[in-house]
Amino acid sequence: NGMGYRDPSALAAMRAVKAEGGWGVVCTEQAEIHPSAEICPFIELRIWDDQDVPMLARIADSVHRGGALAGLQLCHNGMNAPNLYSREIPFGPADLPVASIFNDPVQARAMDKTDIANLRKWHRQAALRAKRADYDIVYVYAGKLFGGPMFFLSRRYNTRTDEYGGSLENRVRLLRELVEDVKDAVGDRCAVACRISVDELIGEAGLHAAEARDMIASMAELPDLWDLTLSSWDNDSQSSRFTDEAYQEPFVAGIKQLTTKPVVGVGRFTSPDTMVRMVRQGVLDLIGAARPSIADPFLPRKIEEGRIEDIRECIGCNICVSGDHTASIIRCTQNPSMGEEWRRGWHPERIRRRATDSRVLVIGAGPSGLEAAMMLGRRGYVVALAEAGIELGGRLIRERRLPGLAAWGRVVDYRVGQLARMPNVEIYRASHLTTEDVLGFGFDHVAVATGAVWRRDNVARASVTPSPLGDIQLLTPDDLMSGTRPPGKNVVIYDDDHYYMGGVLAELLTQEGYRVALVTPAAEASVWTRNTMEQHRIQTRLIEAGVSILAHRILKSADTGSVALGCIFTGRPSHVEADALVMVSSRLPVANLARELDARQTAWADAGLKSVTTIGDALAPGTIAAAVFGGRRYAEELDEEIDPDTLPFRREVAELQPFSLDRLLDASSQ
């Protein structure tokens, strides 16, 4: 979630809201048990020593106040940890480079018996700290190539010839010892759970389904709870673009029959019907949910109260994951309050009543406008939502129809459904408003959420000035999504956006029979989706579809039948045959109406107008999550006195430790 040890109060508030929302158990993310296995720059929890106990206790207390059990996931990252902060030498079952995603020039050393004894001792000490912090469930983590024991379970990492390597019995030995140690330390008070990956999806070269089942069977009654995942994280948390809901069911089916202990599983469960079926059919005892609980922390409460239509279903875009990968606060496309519970005082279900009797006009029914209208409606304002077209949804009207993005339409469906039940919100379709219209309506406040359009001139990151584009047929994503198609079969897509759009359009056109070359200044297609753990799947799908990926090239010019490129390193020119060029570069805000209204400020007073605010893509094009956040922020801050010199959110400030500069200087001079 990108908070960890840096933002413990924000983390405690986020977990508290989930507990309030009805989840029976609320677990922490992995908590690093020792500085010999920390994964900087990722910001996780730490339980290194007693200094960490008060922070962890605050989280547990917040969860308990919401009525849930608190679980803490003890984790020694083993060979996944480059230890860039601690500078300790990482270790694992063998002498191998660390398995970090950044290919750090760090190698792990093979553990000896002293290391194994220390690892067992550290787990025991961390478990006792978790007990003192009042956690109810303590995890031994052996999943997703995060937990060190997973490296012992996997054939590809464990090449040992002692009693901890080789046979299945030997490879599971360390995990068994760790569970026994933790149970001995805290089993009188805490349940001890074991999280284990049931398949690495690489066949017999790694831990595979048959072996995982044998391992679980051999320890069947030892832990108090089995928590099942796939390995690694990108397999365990796949996006909706590549997998359906409950896609892990085939991997966990039958495991419950191996043990009398309860079994929990995950797999992006979004439908209550699917959750109920999994339990009733005996596939799982308990439903585990990270992303669905991010999109809607109150999902269980809504099921309990029969309010299924009020559930904000996860769209599976994985923008939440990007927080961890960018060391930033978690965000959610569906739930803009995620990560802002403590920082801004936002709640996923509640918002304070209106401060005045102001009437508000929201212009544009895209993600930002829909969110603003919905939350203003919940505050009790009288709201008019005006949409120039017939259909509501803005950019998502067309994006949800692109390959793999159908689930993203839930952003629109949820908000339209909520607005339909609000008597204080009126929706006006086919309402293309002018400045005179707006000034004549008599609203107190206007929010302009008119979106953005894709540029046609190649201005983006690699080039901040227009390129000579000649007579070639030039198309944008807007053109393709509106149904326009190239005249010939050879198409170049130039992607200087680097998120999902370029890859999705390449997929769309190849499905329709076009020969596509995807050109990008980056090293890979859709490179930013590394942060959503999709890039390798996008690249694979494009290659298998026959898309030619031309990396490290910038667009220089284009003319009839040809696109001229240049190497970003050497400038060496090349050409690609093309009947059309699709420009996926950057976008321009559609802000004409906002500018015209701003120019007429002298007429506001007579019109009764107090403010005009541009929000969402009309202010600055960004992600759908950013647009939804902008709509929520507008609704939160309306009629509030905002001091531009005051921080708009709270932050945690570290307590300073004793420090003597004189002593440091004296020591350095010697």
Side-chain angles (χ1 to χ4, degrees):
N1 54 64
M3 292 188 264
Y5 62 83
R6 183 190 61 198
D7 303 288
S9 293
L11 186 54
M14 182 265 281
R15 302 290 188 206
V17 167
K18 292 193 181 191
E20 181 193 357
W23 297 93
V25 178
V26 178
C27 289
T28 67
E29 72 268 33
Q30 61 186 65
E32 301 167 352
I33 68 169
H34 195 267
S36 63
E38 51 86 11
I39 55 173
C40 176
F42 298 96
I43 301 174
E44 314 295 340
L45 278 175
R46 290 172 176 168
I47 190 167
W48 291 359
D49 60 22
D50 290 347
Q51 293 182 90
D52 296 314
V53 172
M55 170 185 69
L56 297 169
R58 173 173 290 185
I59 298 171
D61 179 62
S62 297
V63 170
H64 289 150
R65 290 188 182 194
L69 298 175
L72 190 142
Q73 301 190 65
L74 303 180
C75 184
H76 187 280
N77 288 286
M79 293 176 58
N80 185 48
N83 294 340
L84 301 178
Y85 174 79
S86 69
R87 302 187 72 170
E88 295 294 322
I89 302 298
F91 53 67
D95 292 301
L96 284 170
V98 293
S100 67
I101 66 171
F102 298 113
N103 297 315
D104 297 283
V106 177
Q107 186 158 318
R109 60 179 176 82
M111 295 170 68
D112 58 23
K113 298 301 173 56
T114 299
D115 295 321
I116 290 175
N118 283 334
L119 183 62
R120 293 178 62 180
K121 177 182 65 177
W122 297 335
H123 269 85
R124 183 183 183 90
Q125 291 171 341
L128 290 169
R129 293 186 192 108
K131 180 180 176 181
R132 290 203 302 276
D134 203 22
Y135 282 85
D136 307 288
I137 303 172
V138 178
Y139 268 75
V140 175
Y141 203 101
K144 299 194 292 190
L145 294 182
F146 291 155
M150 179 63 188
F151 291 99
F152 277 79
L153 301 179
S154 174
R155 289 178 181 272
R156 60 174 167 157
Y157 293 104
N158 189 345
T159 57
R160 301 173 71 95
T161 57
D162 62 3
E163 67 268 34
Y164 289 94
S167 68
L168 181 70
E169 179 183 3
N170 285 353
R171 281 182 284 127
V172 80
R173 187 183 306 277
L174 177 61
L175 178 59
R176 177 188 294 275
E177 291 173 344
L178 293 175
V179 174
E180 290 173 342
D181 291 342
V182 172
K183 288 199 74 171
D184 180 68
V186 301
D188 61 322
R189 162 68 177 79
C190 307
V192 176
C194 180
R195 186 163 226 211
I196 187 171
S197 290
V198 295
D199 206 318
E200 291 185 76
L201 302 185
I202 58 171
E204 295 187 1
L207 179 65
H208 55 88
E211 272 201 335
R213 289 166 190 264
D214 289 341
M215 288 180 178
I216 292 171
S218 72
M219 294 174 54
E221 306 304 306
L222 183 56
D224 300 305
L225 171 73
W226 287 101
D227 189 332
L228 310 178
T229 74
L230 289 176
S231 184
S232 57
W233 191 13
D234 60 289
N235 289 326
D236 186 55
S237 296
Q238 296 185 45
S239 70
S240 59
R241 185 172 168 187
F242 294 96
T243 54
D244 295 326
E245 179 191 17
Y247 65 93
Q248 295 193 32
E249 181 175 355
F251 299 96
V252 301
I255 289 182
K256 206 172 92 66
Q257 284 65 50
L258 303 177
T259 176
T260 65
K261 299 301 175 72
V263 174
V264 60
V266 294
R268 199 174 53 82
F269 299 114
T270 60
S271 164
D273 293 332
T274 301
M275 300 177 193
V276 170
R277 178 186 64 78
M278 295 284 279
V279 174
R280 285 183 174 169
Q281 290 182 354
V283 180
L284 298 171
D285 294 297
L286 300 164
I287 298 299
R291 289 173 292 176
S293 75
I294 293 168
D296 197 334
F298 274 65
L299 186 151
R301 192 76 68 205
K302 292 174 182 177
I303 295 174
E304 183 180 33
E305 296 171 358
R307 297 190 293 120
I308 306 301
E309 70 281 359
D310 290 333
I311 293 174
R312 283 189 306 272
E313 289 194 38
C314 171
I315 70 171
C317 68
N318 273 11
I319 199 72
C320 53
V321 175
S322 72
D324 197 49
H325 283 89
T326 57
S328 60
I329 291 288
I330 190 172
R331 63 210 64 205
C332 176
T333 302
Q334 275 282 52
N335 174 17
S337 71
M338 174 53 55
E340 304 296 339
E341 300 89 348
W342 178 80
R343 298 206 317 164
R344 299 178 191 267
W346 293 4
H347 191 277
E349 298 299 309
R350 297 189 297 271
I351 188 170
R352 68 191 181 285
R353 293 291 296 174
R354 68 181 187 271
T356 69
D357 292 327
S358 296
R359 298 169 64 248
V360 188
L361 171 63
V362 178
I363 305 173
S368 190
L370 289 171
E371 176 71 15
M374 180 181 71
M375 298 311 293
L376 288 168
R378 289 182 181 175
R379 288 192 66 185
Y381 285 101
V382 173
V383 180
L385 175 62
E387 166 56 39
I390 301 297
E391 196 173 352
L392 306 182
R395 61 189 286 187
L396 277 169
I397 295 171
R398 298 178 301 183
E399 288 191 26
R400 69 188 299 178
R401 294 168 184 151
L402 293 173
L405 302 188
W408 292 26
R410 293 172 178 168
V411 174
V412 175
D413 297 341
Y414 168 75
R415 286 159 179 81
V416 171
Q418 295 293 302
L419 288 168
R421 309 204 316 259
M422 292 183 178
N424 54 320
V425 179
E426 292 285 344
I427 299 175
Y428 299 90
R429 303 167 190 258
S431 296
H432 189 85
L433 303 183
T434 66
T435 303
E436 294 301 326
D437 292 331
V438 175
L439 292 174
F441 287 147
F443 286 95
D444 300 283
H445 301 283
V446 174
V448 181
T450 43
V453 294
W454 286 91
R455 298 184 69 130
R456 314 179 75 86
D457 56 5
N458 191 33
V459 171
R461 291 176 172 82
S463 176
V464 295
T465 57
S467 299
L469 297 176
D471 293 330
I472 194 169
Q473 185 185 28
L474 181 64
L475 300 172
T476 70
D478 292 321
D479 296 325
L480 292 180
M481 290 188 288
S482 296
T484 304
R485 290 296 181 268
K489 288 299 182 182
N490 295 319
V491 181
V492 168
I493 296 177
Y494 182 64
D495 184 8
D496 199 15
D497 172 63
H498 308 298
Y499 193 18
Y500 59 89
M501 185 58 74
V504 168
L505 293 180
E507 189 176 340
L508 171 71
L509 291 176
T510 55
Q511 288 177 359
E512 295 180 357
Y514 291 92
R515 291 183 292 273
V516 178
L518 178 67
V519 179
T520 177
E524 305 165 319
S526 302
V527 68
W528 195 84
T529 61
R530 279 182 168 267
N531 295 310
T532 57
M533 303 193 302
E534 299 173 284
Q535 194 285 322
H536 59 300
R537 288 190 167 83
I538 294 171
Q539 187 104 359
T540 299
R541 181 169 288 183
L542 295 182
I543 291 172
E544 291 178 342
V547 174
S548 175
I549 300 174
L550 305 178
H552 294 146
R553 290 172 173 85
I554 60 172
L555 175 65
K556 304 294 287 186
S557 64
D559 214 328
T560 305
S562 179
V563 174
L565 309 175
C567 172
I568 64 168
F569 300 111
T570 66
R572 184 176 296 123
S574 59
H575 291 79
V576 182
E577 180 181 344
D579 300 307
L581 171 63
V582 179
M583 194 72 68
V584 186
S585 52
S586 61
R587 289 177 288 157
L588 282 172
V590 178
N592 293 341
L593 180 58
R595 285 193 291 266
E596 291 169 5
L597 286 168
D598 188 60
R600 296 284 303 278
Q601 284 196 40
T602 55
W604 287 11
D606 291 341
L609 183 58
K610 299 174 183 175
S611 73
V612 175
T613 306
T614 307
I615 62 175
D617 286 344
L619 178 63
T623 63
I624 300 169
V628 173
F629 176 87
R632 175 66 182 260
R633 184 174 184 177
Y634 176 77
E636 289 276 357
E637 295 180 353
L638 185 69
D639 280 334
E640 294 291 318
E641 290 291 333
I642 304 298
D643 183 354
D645 295 326
T646 301
L647 284 177
F649 53 83
R650 292 194 290 178
R651 62 193 178 109
E652 203 101 41
V653 179
E655 178 184 353
L656 294 178
Q657 297 298 307
F659 171 69
S660 172
L661 181 59
D662 291 338
R663 182 179 301 174
L664 175 65
L665 294 176
D666 288 344
S668 63
S669 65
Q670 295 174 10

